[in-house]
Amino acid sequence: MAEDLQALHSLAASMLTQLEPPARKKLMRDMAGMIRRANQRAMAGQRAPDGSPWPKRKPRKERRTASRPVRFLYRSGGQLRLVDMRSWMKRSKYLTGYDREAEGIRTFHEDRVVDWLPPKGSAEGGAVRGLKGSVRRRSPQMFRSLRSSRYLKTGHDERSSWIEFTERASRLAQTHHYGLRDRVAPGGPEIDYPERTLLGFNPQIEADLLNRFIDHAGDALGWGRRAR
């Protein structure tokens, strides 16, 4: 395939010199769009441009919204009070949710729960220690926003085409593309991110681009019309 690609490169370079500047710019703009779409498809498939899969995300503790209400007696300031939450999350030993009794979002330490009560309308009782909620959420695709046209831009001139991330997105892109060390959040801990190649080519993408270029350039030069 390398010899075929070299032949296509030579033909494309010869055709490019014969095109008028407006036709060159149009072709380069079209090529830039093709390059972006090919890389966007790879990122959407969670793989590098060469087809290899990205390293998977490390499993992390998730805060999941509970699918059932919870009621309990809670010790606060030496007094007991009733807590009734219909929507809540648990992280470590803390439960956070909308407390109907307090009419607001509250956080409670599990060790201060004196007694677990059955939810209203339920005859079931007993402890519910360790509940983390039962709604499992599908892990979202990585870099969904980063691959959008808002952050992944195209560029071209009379002789070349390219794609690049905006200045706002470039630091994040470089961190993941090269597998650098960075902070999880401002002021947070630093971690080593695995390398996930975001932009690039493979021989098939290169061949598709060259074939499309030659077809378009041939139409601009009238080669197809002369052949007919």
Side-chain angles (χ1 to χ4, degrees):
M1 191 172 188
E3 293 182 359
D4 293 336
L5 286 176
Q6 185 58 46
L8 289 174
H9 274 290
S10 298
L11 179 58
S14 175
M15 298 175 75
L16 183 62
T17 61
Q18 301 178 54
L19 292 173
E20 296 295 327
R24 290 183 189 178
K25 287 185 177 181
K26 182 179 184 304
L27 272 174
M28 293 300 102
R29 183 185 64 213
D30 293 344
M31 293 299 99
M34 286 187 64
I35 296 169
R36 179 168 62 183
R37 288 191 293 274
N39 280 268
Q40 285 174 325
R41 286 193 296 270
M43 284 189 274
Q46 307 291 276
R47 62 181 186 275
D50 65 2
S52 59
W54 283 338
K56 293 184 178 181
R57 276 179 170 154
K58 292 182 180 179
R60 55 184 177 181
K61 296 180 180 179
E62 297 180 355
R63 292 187 292 178
R64 299 170 182 165
T65 303
S67 60
R68 49 182 168 174
V70 63
R71 295 172 73 234
F72 52 85
L73 293 177
Y74 189 75
R75 186 181 301 280
S76 176
Q79 298 182 343
L80 294 180
R81 77 176 189 86
L82 175 67
V83 176
D84 185 351
M85 293 192 295
R86 290 294 184 268
S87 179
W88 55 278
M89 291 180 285
K90 180 179 178 184
R91 187 174 186 180
S92 185
K93 290 184 175 293
Y94 293 91
L95 292 86
T96 301
Y98 185 82
D99 180 10
R100 290 158 58 94
E101 299 294 323
E103 297 184 348
I105 302 294
R106 298 290 186 273
T107 296
F108 305 95
H109 197 290
E110 192 178 37
D111 289 346
R112 296 183 184 177
V113 175
V114 176
D115 191 20
W116 297 92
L117 306 174
K120 289 183 179 180
S122 172
E124 297 180 2
V128 291
R129 295 183 184 277
L131 280 179
K132 296 183 179 179
S134 58
V135 177
R136 297 186 62 86
R137 302 186 184 278
R138 186 176 181 179
S139 179
Q141 286 187 336
M142 290 182 282
F143 314 125
R144 183 186 295 272
S145 296
L146 196 63
R147 70 173 185 259
S148 69
S149 300
R150 178 181 179 184
Y151 297 111
L152 183 56
K153 299 295 185 180
T154 62
H156 67 279
D157 55 28
E158 290 185 9
R159 299 192 63 85
S160 58
S161 304
W162 63 87
I163 58 175
E164 61 185 356
F165 289 105
T166 62
E167 182 177 356
R168 181 179 177 184
S170 62
R171 179 179 175 180
L172 174 64
Q174 289 179 18
T175 296
H176 291 277
H177 183 87
Y178 296 109
L180 305 179
R181 187 175 183 83
D182 201 358
R183 295 187 184 277
V184 178
E190 289 187 345
I191 67 169
D192 293 314
Y193 285 92
E195 181 179 324
R196 296 184 175 98
T197 306
L198 301 176
L199 303 181
F201 287 95
N202 62 45
Q204 187 58 56
I205 294 176
E206 188 176 0
D208 290 344
L209 286 167
L210 287 168
N211 279 309
R212 182 70 64 87
F213 174 86
I214 292 170
D215 287 344
H216 285 196
D219 289 342
L221 292 170
W223 289 12
R225 290 191 292 274
R226 288 197 294 269
R228 289 192 290 269

